[in-house]
Amino acid sequence: MAEKIDAEALRFGQMLQRYRESVKITQQEIADATKLTKNYINSIERGVHKCNAQIFKIKRPTEQISLLIGLCLFFSALAE
């Protein structure tokens, strides 16, 4: 079964991935700092899942991860 890709979610996911890679944060590091799995982070970057405030529960914030999540929440709020 093909995954349903949302164009807006895909644009955000691509931006998230570019930023994450530019600051050298892995998907696993985001997963470790949140209650999400690496696979779920990957699905956000592929546009399969939308990013929203409810999915991010920070366990061990770092400055870079906090900024990354802040960007996610900012852009998801704009989309609402």
Side-chain angles (χ1 to χ4, degrees):
M1 179 178 359
E3 295 174 323
K4 185 174 179 179
I5 306 296
D6 178 89
E8 181 182 311
L10 178 60
R11 281 191 303 276
F12 174 78
Q14 291 169 336
M15 181 190 71
L16 177 69
Q17 181 179 13
R18 281 192 304 274
Y19 175 76
R20 178 182 60 73
E21 290 173 347
S22 76
V23 295
K24 299 183 181 0
I25 296 174
T26 66
Q27 291 176 341
Q28 188 61 56
E29 288 173 305
I30 296 173
D32 290 344
T34 65
K35 293 185 178 183
L36 302 176
T37 65
K38 179 182 176 232
N39 287 341
Y40 198 87
I41 300 297
N42 182 272
S43 70
I44 291 172
E45 290 183 356
R46 292 189 337 267
V48 175
H49 289 101
K50 287 188 175 184
C51 180
N52 63 55
Q54 288 73 38
I55 66 168
F56 282 112
K57 305 279 191 239
I58 303 172
K59 295 189 298 188
R60 292 189 309 271
T62 67
E63 184 177 336
Q64 291 174 325
I65 289 176
S66 294
L67 178 58
L68 187 66
I69 292 169
L71 284 171
C72 177
L73 300 178
F74 173 76
F75 284 105
S76 66
L78 287 179
E80 292 178 353

